[in-house]
Coordinates of all heavy atoms in Angstrom, one line a residue:
R1 N -21.2 49.0 5.2 CA -21.8 49.8 4.2 C -21.4 49.2 2.8 O -20.3 49.4 2.3 CB -21.3 51.3 4.2 CG -22.0 52.2 3.3 CD -21.6 53.6 3.5 NE -22.2 54.1 4.8 CZ -23.3 54.9 4.8 NH1 -24.0 55.2 3.7 NH2 -23.8 55.3 6.0
A2 N -22.3 48.4 2.3 CA -22.0 47.6 1.1 C -22.1 48.5 -0.2 O -21.4 48.3 -1.2 CB -23.0 46.4 0.9
L3 N -23.1 49.5 -0.2 CA -23.2 50.4 -1.3 C -23.4 51.8 -0.7 O -24.0 52.0 0.3 CB -24.4 50.1 -2.1 CG -24.4 48.8 -2.9 CD1 -25.8 48.6 -3.6 CD2 -23.3 48.8 -4.0
S4 N -22.8 52.8 -1.4 CA -22.8 54.2 -0.9 C -23.2 55.1 -2.0 O -22.4 55.4 -2.9 CB -21.5 54.6 -0.3 OG -21.2 53.8 0.9
D5 N -24.5 55.5 -2.0 CA -24.9 56.6 -3.0 C -24.6 56.3 -4.4 O -24.1 57.1 -5.2 CB -24.3 57.9 -2.6 CG -25.0 59.1 -3.2 OD1 -26.2 59.0 -3.4 OD2 -24.4 60.1 -3.4
V6 N -25.0 55.0 -4.8 CA -24.7 54.6 -6.2 C -25.8 55.2 -7.2 O -26.9 55.1 -6.9 CB -24.7 53.1 -6.3 CG1 -24.6 52.6 -7.8 CG2 -23.5 52.5 -5.5
A7 N -25.3 55.7 -8.3 CA -26.2 56.2 -9.3 C -25.7 55.7 -10.7 O -24.6 56.1 -11.1 CB -26.3 57.7 -9.3
I8 N -26.5 54.8 -11.3 CA -26.2 54.4 -12.7 C -27.5 54.2 -13.5 O -28.6 54.2 -13.0 CB -25.4 53.0 -12.6 CG1 -26.3 51.9 -12.1 CG2 -24.1 53.1 -11.8 CD1 -25.7 50.5 -12.2
K9 N -27.3 54.0 -14.8 CA -28.4 53.6 -15.7 C -27.9 52.4 -16.5 O -26.8 52.4 -16.9 CB -28.8 54.7 -16.6 CG -29.5 55.9 -15.9 CD -29.9 57.0 -16.9 CE -30.6 58.1 -16.1 NZ -30.9 59.2 -17.0
L10 N -28.8 51.5 -16.7 CA -28.6 50.3 -17.6 C -29.7 50.4 -18.7 O -30.8 50.7 -18.4 CB -28.6 49.0 -16.9 CG -27.6 48.8 -15.8 CD1 -27.8 47.5 -15.0 CD2 -26.2 48.7 -16.4
Y11 N -29.3 50.1 -19.9 CA -30.2 50.3 -21.0 C -30.7 49.0 -21.7 O -30.0 47.9 -21.5 CB -29.4 51.1 -22.1 CG -29.1 52.5 -21.7 CD1 -27.8 52.8 -21.3 CD2 -30.0 53.5 -21.6 CE1 -27.5 54.1 -20.8 CE2 -29.7 54.8 -21.2 CZ -28.4 55.1 -20.8 OH -28.1 56.3 -20.4
E12 N -31.8 49.1 -22.4 CA -32.3 48.0 -23.1 C -31.3 47.4 -24.1 O -30.6 48.2 -24.8 CB -33.6 48.4 -23.9 CG -34.8 48.6 -23.1 CD -36.0 48.9 -24.0 OE1 -35.8 49.1 -25.2 OE2 -37.1 49.0 -23.5
G13 N -31.2 46.1 -24.1 CA -30.3 45.5 -25.1 C -28.8 45.6 -24.8 O -28.0 45.1 -25.6
E14 N -28.4 46.2 -23.7 CA -27.1 46.4 -23.3 C -26.4 45.2 -22.7 O -27.1 44.5 -21.9 CB -27.0 47.6 -22.4 CG -25.6 48.0 -21.9 CD -25.5 49.2 -21.1 OE1 -26.4 49.5 -20.3 OE2 -24.6 50.0 -21.3
L15 N -25.2 45.0 -23.0 CA -24.4 44.0 -22.2 C -23.4 44.8 -21.4 O -22.5 45.5 -21.9 CB -23.6 43.0 -23.1 CG -23.1 41.8 -22.4 CD1 -22.8 40.7 -23.4 CD2 -21.8 42.0 -21.6
A16 N -23.6 44.9 -20.1 CA -22.7 45.6 -19.1 C -21.9 44.7 -18.3 O -22.4 43.7 -17.9 CB -23.6 46.5 -18.3
V17 N -20.7 45.1 -18.0 CA -19.8 44.3 -17.1 C -19.6 45.2 -15.9 O -19.3 46.4 -16.0 CB -18.5 44.0 -17.8 CG1 -17.4 43.6 -16.7 CG2 -18.7 42.8 -18.8
L18 N -19.8 44.6 -14.7 CA -19.5 45.2 -13.4 C -18.2 44.6 -12.9 O -18.2 43.4 -12.6 CB -20.7 45.0 -12.5 CG -22.0 45.8 -12.6 CD1 -22.6 45.6 -14.0 CD2 -23.0 45.4 -11.6
L19 N -17.2 45.5 -12.8 CA -15.9 45.0 -12.6 C -15.3 45.5 -11.2 O -15.5 46.7 -11.0 CB -14.9 45.4 -13.7 CG -13.5 44.9 -13.7 CD1 -13.4 43.4 -13.7 CD2 -12.7 45.6 -14.8
G20 N -14.7 44.7 -10.4 CA -14.1 45.2 -9.2 C -13.8 44.0 -8.3 O -14.2 42.9 -8.5
P21 N -13.0 44.3 -7.2 CA -12.6 43.2 -6.3 C -13.8 42.7 -5.5 O -14.8 43.3 -5.4 CB -11.6 43.9 -5.4 CG -11.9 45.3 -5.5 CD -12.5 45.6 -6.8
S22 N -13.6 41.6 -4.8 CA -14.6 41.1 -3.9 C -14.9 42.1 -2.8 O -13.9 42.7 -2.3 CB -14.1 39.7 -3.3 OG -14.0 38.7 -4.2
G23 N -16.1 42.2 -2.4 CA -16.5 43.2 -1.4 C -16.7 44.6 -1.9 O -16.8 45.5 -1.0
S24 N -16.6 44.8 -3.2 CA -16.7 46.2 -3.7 C -18.2 46.7 -3.9 O -18.4 47.8 -4.3 CB -15.9 46.4 -4.9 OG -16.4 45.5 -6.0
G25 N -19.1 45.8 -3.7 CA -20.5 46.1 -3.9 C -21.3 45.6 -5.1 O -22.5 45.8 -5.3
K26 N -20.5 44.9 -6.0 CA -21.1 44.5 -7.2 C -22.3 43.5 -7.0 O -23.4 43.7 -7.6 CB -20.1 43.7 -8.1 CG -18.8 44.5 -8.3 CD -17.9 43.7 -9.2 CE -17.5 42.3 -8.7 NZ -16.8 42.3 -7.4
S27 N -22.1 42.5 -6.2 CA -23.2 41.5 -6.0 C -24.4 42.2 -5.2 O -25.6 41.8 -5.5 CB -22.7 40.3 -5.2 OG -21.8 39.6 -6.0
T28 N -24.1 43.0 -4.3 CA -25.2 43.7 -3.6 C -26.1 44.5 -4.6 O -27.3 44.5 -4.5 CB -24.6 44.6 -2.5 OG1 -23.9 43.9 -1.6 CG2 -25.8 45.3 -1.7
L29 N -25.4 45.2 -5.5 CA -26.2 46.0 -6.5 C -27.0 45.0 -7.3 O -28.2 45.3 -7.6 CB -25.3 46.8 -7.3 CG -26.0 47.6 -8.5 CD1 -27.0 48.6 -8.0 CD2 -24.9 48.2 -9.4
L30 N -26.4 44.0 -7.8 CA -27.1 43.0 -8.7 C -28.3 42.4 -7.9 O -29.4 42.2 -8.5 CB -26.2 41.9 -9.2 CG -26.5 41.4 -10.6 CD1 -26.1 42.4 -11.6 CD2 -25.7 40.1 -10.8
N31 N -28.1 42.1 -6.7 CA -29.2 41.5 -5.9 C -30.4 42.4 -5.7 O -31.5 42.0 -5.7 CB -28.7 41.0 -4.5 CG -27.8 39.8 -4.7 OD1 -27.9 39.0 -5.6 ND2 -27.0 39.5 -3.6
I32 N -30.1 43.7 -5.6 CA -31.1 44.7 -5.4 C -31.8 44.9 -6.8 O -33.1 45.0 -6.8 CB -30.6 46.0 -4.9 CG1 -30.1 45.8 -3.4 CG2 -31.7 47.1 -4.9 CD1 -29.4 47.0 -2.8
L33 N -31.1 45.0 -7.9 CA -31.7 45.1 -9.2 C -32.6 43.9 -9.5 O -33.7 44.1 -10.1 CB -30.6 45.2 -10.3 CG -29.7 46.4 -10.3 CD1 -28.7 46.3 -11.5 CD2 -30.5 47.7 -10.4
G34 N -32.2 42.7 -9.0 CA -33.0 41.5 -9.3 C -34.1 41.3 -8.3 O -34.8 40.3 -8.4
G35 N -34.2 42.1 -7.3 CA -35.3 41.9 -6.3 C -35.0 40.8 -5.3 O -35.9 40.3 -4.6
L36 N -33.7 40.4 -5.2 CA -33.3 39.5 -4.1 C -33.0 40.1 -2.8 O -32.9 39.4 -1.8 CB -32.1 38.7 -4.6 CG -32.3 37.7 -5.8 CD1 -31.0 37.1 -6.3 CD2 -33.3 36.6 -5.5
D37 N -32.7 41.4 -2.8 CA -32.4 42.2 -1.6 C -33.0 43.5 -1.7 O -33.5 43.9 -2.8 CB -30.8 42.3 -1.5 CG -30.4 42.6 -0.1 OD1 -31.2 42.8 0.8 OD2 -29.1 42.7 0.1

């Protein structure tokens, strides 16, 4: 289970940092946001 019930919003013009250890789900989320997964 790479992601579990994640709910967030990202805004226009925002610089957001996604912080956490390897395997915490950051890349999976980014890949889904970017249409790679």
Side-chain angles (χ1 to χ4, degrees):
R1 187 172 289 262
L3 293 173
S4 297
D5 198 29
V6 170
I8 65 170
K9 290 180 180 178
L10 296 173
Y11 296 101
E12 286 185 353
E14 178 174 40
L15 196 161
V17 163
L18 282 57
L19 182 64
S22 297
S24 59
K26 308 182 304 297
S27 293
T28 301
L29 175 62
L30 212 71
N31 288 340
I32 293 173
L33 294 181
L36 293 173
D37 200 356

